């Protein structure tokens, strides 16, 4: 803490100032805070598991330990990887070079996707139909670009131009590493950039993409093919292993119409260059060290990171991202205790109860809508720690001696596993995060809140800590995920997870008015020079924080400590609650990364998450004696209360 600062003037520095000053961003990171500390602890825990598994050469064939150990051992054999250079992708590059027409280009787009090589031009996945949630449907999304957001291609300020230049250098470098002459590689970079810029122009902005109705466009496969005749989906989908489907969901029809035009307006030779680039960029992190170094040099410009993340850390994360439910089994045996799960179940039950009390007390919502909101709240499914049914990865071939092929095999396996969900009942045991992940999520179509084992540790959660610390930490995280069911987007789904209105028109208008006030509060926060928080992009997360902290406080007040005034370390229970919240969000971030996150991250920066919710809560003013004249003071009538 930095108690020389008044909490009412700068609660972020008051709660965490000394920590922030003495914890600069390490050279191998782009940001450093509570999340990163815990992620660092977890990745080291994962490293130990992986190193032990890799060293255990007597693990039985087919066992979890053997498969995890083999994947990691292959990933860490940099000498073998360096020896291969780019030979693992030579067949792809040669095959693409032989394409002669547009049909060949599209066949290749399908082939690259199904073999786990890359996903050019557009996004594709299989997921629940938002208006018929028991159905799994094929879904198309805009895509095809490399830079983190479409705005990088469309703006010409110094920061964007620097990123564009970094991308062109990256393209040039990767092509030259495969033996293409420098001048030709530079031409390739201009070709690829031009194609991607046109794709970016056709993309919807991230704020628009948050609207679940705007991005819900259902077509028959035949009708979509009529709208985009150059992309004949009746022919293309079977090549993408999608058969027997007559309907498809599209998040941005205008993007696909623009792509349809671009397909014939762009020479086949240019599309071949673009496809080769997609193979190169997807493979670069897993090829020899010169490719990995080029990949880092590019990301360095975008993030400001000083040195490359150590290989063991990159490969530990890769193992988690690739076969996370094999690794997860070994992780939870060591790092997740049954008593942590029991305590979490109790906290979740208390948060649901607090939320119910708060909904019942709302002065702006009619009894009719309240009834529906409570029905939704009581239909929530909580998942804690790890899946009840583990993925087995049956049929995935992992060999200790072929790292690149393991990555490809996993990509192919994952794609096939995804399309195999078509025509089957929705698997409600499935998880969207792996057990070591330091995060949590809410799924509107499943109406579930999910807390992996990785986040259930200090500073978010400690079974031995006092209630104030746990309710201000993990309690607020639980409340935050519940609030996503009632944020500007999640509130449009009903208790069954269906995209269907359950509000009266008057209540919805009142909710939107409150949400707009919150948006304006965050719009006013400055991050870097002229860059402000985007209140619209971050609205769902900010509603999550406000509702989450308020309901966690309500639940905390039901506990014995919450009802007392007994100080610990000189702080009252209420002060400890808000300090716990604040210290979760402490951190430092590199300016390049901060600028990127404003465009791409739906969360506000930690500094503003620290203060954004408390300044709307009377209890915070009372806890720290915040008075008119203090910089963070808001008049009682201006404090925003949503949930």
């Amino acid at each position: 803490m930095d108690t020389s600062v008044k909490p009412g003037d700068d609660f972020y520095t008051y709660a965490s100032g000394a920590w922030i000053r003495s914890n600069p961003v390490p050279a191998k990171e782009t940001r450093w805070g509570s999340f990163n500390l815990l992620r660092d602890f977890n990745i080291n825990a994962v490293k130990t598991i992986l190193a032990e598994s890799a060293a255990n050469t007597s693990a039985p064939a087919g066992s979890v330990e053997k498969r995890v150990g083999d994947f990691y051992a292959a990933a860490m054999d940099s000498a073998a990887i360096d020896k291969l250079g780019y030979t693992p992708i030579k067949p792809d590059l040669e095959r693409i070079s032989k394409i002669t027409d547009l049909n060949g280009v599209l066949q290749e787009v399908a082939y690259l996707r199904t073999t786990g090589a890359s996903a050019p031009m557009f996004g594709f996945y299989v997921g629940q139909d938002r208006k018929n949630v028991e159905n799994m449907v094929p879904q198309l999304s805009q895509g095809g670009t490399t830079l983190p957001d479409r705005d990088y291609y469309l703006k010409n300020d110094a920061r964007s131009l620097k990123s564009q230049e970094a991308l062109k250098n990256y393209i040039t470098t990767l092509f030259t590493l495969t033996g293409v002459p420098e001048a030709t590689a530079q031409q390739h970079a201009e070709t690829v950039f031009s194609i991607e810029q046109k794709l970016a122009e056709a993309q919807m902005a991230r704020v628009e993409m948050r609207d679940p109705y705007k991005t819900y466009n259902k077509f028959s496969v035949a009708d979509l093919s009529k709208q985009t005749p150059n992309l004949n989906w009746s022919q293309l989908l079977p090549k993408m292993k999608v058969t027997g489907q007559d309907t498809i969901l599209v998040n941005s029809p205008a993007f696909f119409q623009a792509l349809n035009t671009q397909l014939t307006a762009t020479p086949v030779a240019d599309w071949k260059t673009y496809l080769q680039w997609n193979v190169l960029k997807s493979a670069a992190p897993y090829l020899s060290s010169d490719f990995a170094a080029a990949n880092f040099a590019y990301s360095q410009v975008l993030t400001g990171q000083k040195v490359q993340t150590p290989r063991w850390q990159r490969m530990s994360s890769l193992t988690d991202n690739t076969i996370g439910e094999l690794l997860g089994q070994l992780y939870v045996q060591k790092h997740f205790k049954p008593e942590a799960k029991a305590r979490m179940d109790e906290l979740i039950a208390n948060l649901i109860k607090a939320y119910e009390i708060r909904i019942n007390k709302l002065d702006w919502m009619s009894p009719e809508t309240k009834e529906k909101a409570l029905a939704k709240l009581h239909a929530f499914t909580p998942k804690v720690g790890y899946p009840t049914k583990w993925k087995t990865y049956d049929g995935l071939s992992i060999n200790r001696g072929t790292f690149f092929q393991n990555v490809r095999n996993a990509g192919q396996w994952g794609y096939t596993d995804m399309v195999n969900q078509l025509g089957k009942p929705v698997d409600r045991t499935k998880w969207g995060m792996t057990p070591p992940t330091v995060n949590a999520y809410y799924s509107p179509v499943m109406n579930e809140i999910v807390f992996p084992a990785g986040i259930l540790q200090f500073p978010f959660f400690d079974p031995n800590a006092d209630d104030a610390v746990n309710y201000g930490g993990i309690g607020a995280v639980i409340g935050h995920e519940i609030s996503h069911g009632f944020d500007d987007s999640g509130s449009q789904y009903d208790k069954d997870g269906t995209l269907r209105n359950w509000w009266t028109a008057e209540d919805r208008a009142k909710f939107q008015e409150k949400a707009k006030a919150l948006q304006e509060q965050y719009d006013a926060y400055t991050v870097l020079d002229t860059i402000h928080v985007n209140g619209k992009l971050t609205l769902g997360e900010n509603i999550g924080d406000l509702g989450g902290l308020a309901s966690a406080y309500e639940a905390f007040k039901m506990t014995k400590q919450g009802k007392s005034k007994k100080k610990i370390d000189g702080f009252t229970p209420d002060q400890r609650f808000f300090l716990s919240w604040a210290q979760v969000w402490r951190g430092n971030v590199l300016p390049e990364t901060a600028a990127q996150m404003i465009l791409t991250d739906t969360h506000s920066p930690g500094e503003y998450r620290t203060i954004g919710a408390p300044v709307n809560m009377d209890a915070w003013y009372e806890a720290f004696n915040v008075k008119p004249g203090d910089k963070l003071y808001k008049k009682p009538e201006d404090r925003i209360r949503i949930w």
Side-chain angles (χ1 to χ4, degrees):
M1 295 177 69
D2 179 353
T3 49
S4 70
V5 176
K6 269 175 78 175
D9 281 344
D10 182 353
F11 188 55
Y12 180 63
T13 304
Y14 170 78
S16 304
W19 188 94
I20 291 162
R21 278 195 301 275
S22 54
N23 285 276
V25 179
K28 71 181 178 72
E29 303 286 343
T30 58
R31 51 207 280 214
W32 195 247
S34 298
F35 271 86
N36 309 85
L37 271 169
L38 183 44
R39 283 178 183 142
D40 214 49
F41 168 81
N42 271 354
I43 203 72
N44 277 288
V46 163
K47 176 196 184 182
T48 305
I49 292 166
L50 292 171
E52 285 170 1
S53 302
N56 179 9
T57 46
S58 59
S63 66
V64 170
E65 196 173 357
K66 167 92 171 127
R67 300 176 82 195
V68 166
D70 283 354
F71 187 91
Y72 184 67
M76 289 304 289
D77 189 353
S78 50
I81 294 162
D82 277 347
K83 208 178 280 180
L84 288 171
Y86 79 99
T87 51
I89 58 166
K90 255 188 178 164
D92 295 316
L93 299 176
E94 283 169 7
R95 189 182 60 254
I96 292 167
S97 72
K98 293 183 181 131
I99 293 172
T100 55
D101 56 17
L102 190 55
N103 186 41
V105 169
L106 292 171
Q107 285 208 18
E108 186 63 28
V109 167
Y111 180 77
L112 291 173
R113 205 169 229 108
T114 57
T115 54
S118 74
M121 288 191 192
F122 55 84
F124 170 76
Y125 62 102
V126 169
Q128 284 163 274
D129 181 339
R130 277 173 271 172
K131 292 190 178 180
N132 187 0
V133 290
E134 294 309 320
N135 263 13
M136 299 297 283
V137 289
Q139 311 200 24
L140 290 167
S141 59
Q142 62 183 31
T145 47
T146 304
L147 286 163
D149 188 82
R150 67 166 206 158
D151 282 10
Y152 280 88
Y153 294 90
L154 310 182
K155 289 184 172 172
N156 57 5
D157 58 282
R159 211 176 259 119
S160 305
L161 291 173
K162 193 178 167 191
S163 300
Q164 292 173 18
E165 206 47 47
L167 174 59
K168 289 177 188 176
N169 288 338
Y170 184 34
I171 299 168
T172 304
T173 306
L174 291 195
F175 273 107
T176 53
L177 286 173
T178 65
V180 172
E182 176 94 19
T184 312
Q186 284 172 350
Q187 284 170 340
H188 285 352
E190 293 300 333
T191 298
V192 170
F193 186 81
S194 165
I195 287 175
E196 291 196 357
Q197 193 170 39
K198 288 190 184 78
L199 292 171
E201 282 164 6
Q203 289 176 8
M204 269 161 78
R206 271 175 204 260
V207 169
E208 284 182 280
M209 295 293 291
R210 293 193 67 251
D211 183 334
Y213 283 97
K214 199 173 266 187
T215 54
Y216 185 94
N217 303 284
K218 194 181 249 186
F219 292 89
S220 73
V221 172
D223 279 351
L224 184 62
S225 297
K226 273 182 204 147
Q227 281 206 15
T228 60
N230 295 322
L231 287 151
N232 185 331
W233 297 103
S234 313
Q235 288 174 9
L236 195 54
L237 287 171
K239 290 190 180 109
M240 288 163 57
K241 296 192 177 181
V242 175
T243 51
Q245 298 292 314
D246 55 4
T247 47
I248 193 157
L249 283 171
V250 183
N251 75 351
S252 172
F255 172 84
F256 285 91
Q257 285 156 12
L259 174 60
N260 176 68
T261 306
Q262 198 177 339
L263 277 170
T264 45
T266 305
V268 168
D270 291 359
W271 282 122
K272 286 160 68 172
T273 303
Y274 171 78
L275 292 176
Q276 287 183 327
W277 160 242
N278 274 268
V279 168
L280 282 165
K281 74 171 176 185
S282 303
Y286 319 119
L287 295 173
S288 51
S289 48
D290 44 3
F291 281 88
N295 175 253
F296 174 63
Y298 161 67
S299 72
Q300 223 178 350
V301 178
L302 272 64
T303 64
Q305 187 176 333
K306 304 287 181 286
V307 302
Q308 192 170 21
T309 308
R311 184 168 190 92
W312 71 261
Q313 192 172 338
R314 284 179 283 136
M315 295 307 130
S316 297
S317 298
L318 178 68
T319 310
D320 184 30
N321 293 335
T322 308
I323 45 172
E325 290 196 22
L326 293 178
L327 170 62
Q329 292 174 57
L330 304 176
Y331 175 84
V332 297
Q333 281 167 19
K334 286 197 172 184
H335 298 282
F336 190 62
K337 297 177 175 59
E339 52 267 35
K341 171 138 178 36
R343 183 85 176 91
M344 269 300 281
D345 291 342
E346 179 194 332
L347 279 161
I348 290 168
N350 292 352
L351 258 297
I352 298 266
K353 191 173 162 194
Y355 226 92
E356 183 182 333
I357 291 167
R358 292 188 67 78
I359 289 172
N360 278 318
K361 282 200 298 202
L362 290 177
D363 58 3
W364 58 271
M365 188 182 268
S366 67
E368 186 188 338
T369 308
K370 275 182 188 177
E371 194 182 318
K372 302 266 176 53
L374 291 167
K376 178 167 185 175
L377 178 71
H378 294 137
F380 271 54
T381 303
K383 292 178 176 177
V384 176
Y386 54 91
T388 50
K389 189 177 92 189
W390 294 100
K391 248 189 216 180
T392 58
Y393 303 90
D394 284 349
L396 170 58
S397 167
I398 297 169
N399 183 307
R400 207 177 178 88
T402 55
F403 169 57
F404 188 83
Q405 197 54 50
N406 292 343
V407 174
R408 273 286 169 91
N409 291 350
Q412 184 162 359
W413 186 92
Y415 182 87
T416 306
D417 182 57
M418 176 181 76
V419 292
N420 282 348
Q421 295 172 59
L422 290 167
K424 291 182 185 153
V426 172
D427 180 1
R428 295 193 171 269
T429 65
K430 205 170 73 187
W431 278 54
M433 284 179 181
T434 66
T437 305
V438 183
N439 212 333
Y441 70 93
Y442 167 74
S443 164
V445 283
M446 290 279 207
N447 199 23
E448 65 182 15
I449 46 175
V450 186
F451 306 96
I455 199 171
L456 305 180
Q457 298 170 63
F458 184 79
F460 298 93
F461 175 63
D462 180 353
N464 305 314
D466 55 307
D467 278 332
V469 169
N470 276 331
Y471 277 89
I474 201 70
V477 172
I478 297 166
H480 173 101
E481 297 309 336
I482 294 172
S483 297
H484 272 316
F486 301 99
D487 70 18
D488 60 315
S489 175
S491 61
Q492 300 186 67
Y493 296 79
D494 68 8
K495 69 179 175 59
D496 304 319
T498 304
L499 186 58
R500 179 164 49 201
N501 181 44
W502 47 272
W503 296 70
T504 66
E506 196 183 337
D507 288 341
R508 189 74 198 171
K510 285 180 188 167
F511 170 78
Q512 282 167 336
E513 196 182 319
K514 288 175 174 291
K516 189 168 189 299
L518 194 66
Q519 179 199 316
E520 286 164 0
Q521 176 189 320
Y522 283 84
D523 275 338
Y525 294 141
T526 309
V527 184
L528 273 180
D529 39 75
T530 56
I531 301 177
H532 281 249
V533 175
N534 183 339
K536 255 188 178 158
L537 181 64
T538 57
L539 184 59
E541 297 299 336
N542 300 334
I543 292 172
D545 281 350
L546 181 57
L549 192 62
S551 54
Y553 181 76
E554 183 99 35
F556 170 58
K557 296 314 274 181
M558 297 175 196
T559 67
K560 190 177 164 199
Q561 185 191 13
K563 293 186 177 106
S564 86
K565 295 267 189 286
K566 190 182 169 198
K567 290 186 177 182
I568 300 176
D569 294 337
F571 295 99
T572 66
D574 275 22
Q575 286 174 331
R576 286 175 70 78
F577 170 86
F578 285 109
L579 285 168
S580 174
W581 163 259
Q583 291 180 350
V584 157
W585 302 116
R586 65 190 181 193
N588 285 302
V589 59
L590 300 175
E592 296 89 341
T593 295
Q596 179 177 325
M597 285 163 63
I598 286 297
L599 285 181
T600 61
D601 194 354
T602 53
H603 303 83
S604 297
E607 179 182 352
Y608 298 118
R609 295 189 76 171
T610 301
I611 61 170
V615 298
N616 290 303
M617 292 173 64
D618 299 345
W620 176 75
Y621 288 82
E622 285 157 29
F624 294 98
N625 196 25
V626 179
K627 294 272 191 281
D630 292 346
K631 287 177 188 164
L632 293 175
Y633 182 83
K634 279 177 103 169
K635 289 189 225 155
E637 62 270 26
D638 293 339
R639 292 170 201 168
I640 303 159
R641 297 170 180 83
I642 303 183
W643 294 106

